[in-house]
Amino acid sequence: MANTKSSKKSILTSAKQTARNKAARSALKTAVRKAEKAVVTGGDEAKTAIIASQSALDIAAKKGIIHANTAARKKSRLTKKLNAA
């Protein structure tokens, strides 16, 4: 258990950051899922959904929620799916 004032504050801060990152990661996964679904159904919505998901991936990588290489890999795979469809 935390003894010092600074360690107690550290626990509270990390809990807030964890909650914030969890929400952001969930929103990111939703954006990627929507883009993949839009590619399968086709149409103009697919391109806008891909752009939105790539933007979300870039933001998440910049904030350190996911690794930069993970974002690049996901963006590449989404683009490949769009081009194949």
Side-chain angles (χ1 to χ4, degrees):
M1 192 64 198
N3 291 324
T4 62
K5 186 175 182 180
S6 62
S7 62
K8 289 177 184 177
K9 183 177 179 182
S10 169
I11 290 169
L12 292 174
T13 306
S14 67
K16 285 182 193 175
Q17 290 172 341
T18 302
R20 189 180 305 128
N21 288 342
K22 196 172 189 179
R25 194 175 290 117
S26 175
L28 174 66
K29 287 180 182 180
T30 301
V32 171
R33 226 178 282 120
K34 282 183 181 179
E36 289 175 344
K37 186 176 180 183
V39 168
V40 171
T41 59
D44 294 333
E45 294 176 7
K47 196 167 190 174
T48 56
I50 292 284
I51 291 170
S53 67
Q54 287 180 344
S55 177
L57 284 164
D58 285 335
I59 291 169
K62 185 177 178 184
K63 289 184 177 181
I65 295 168
I66 60 171
H67 195 273
N69 290 352
T70 302
R73 183 180 68 245
K74 288 182 182 286
K75 285 168 47 177
S76 175
R77 288 178 181 174
L78 282 171
T79 305
K80 193 185 286 187
K81 285 181 184 179
L82 178 67
N83 291 338

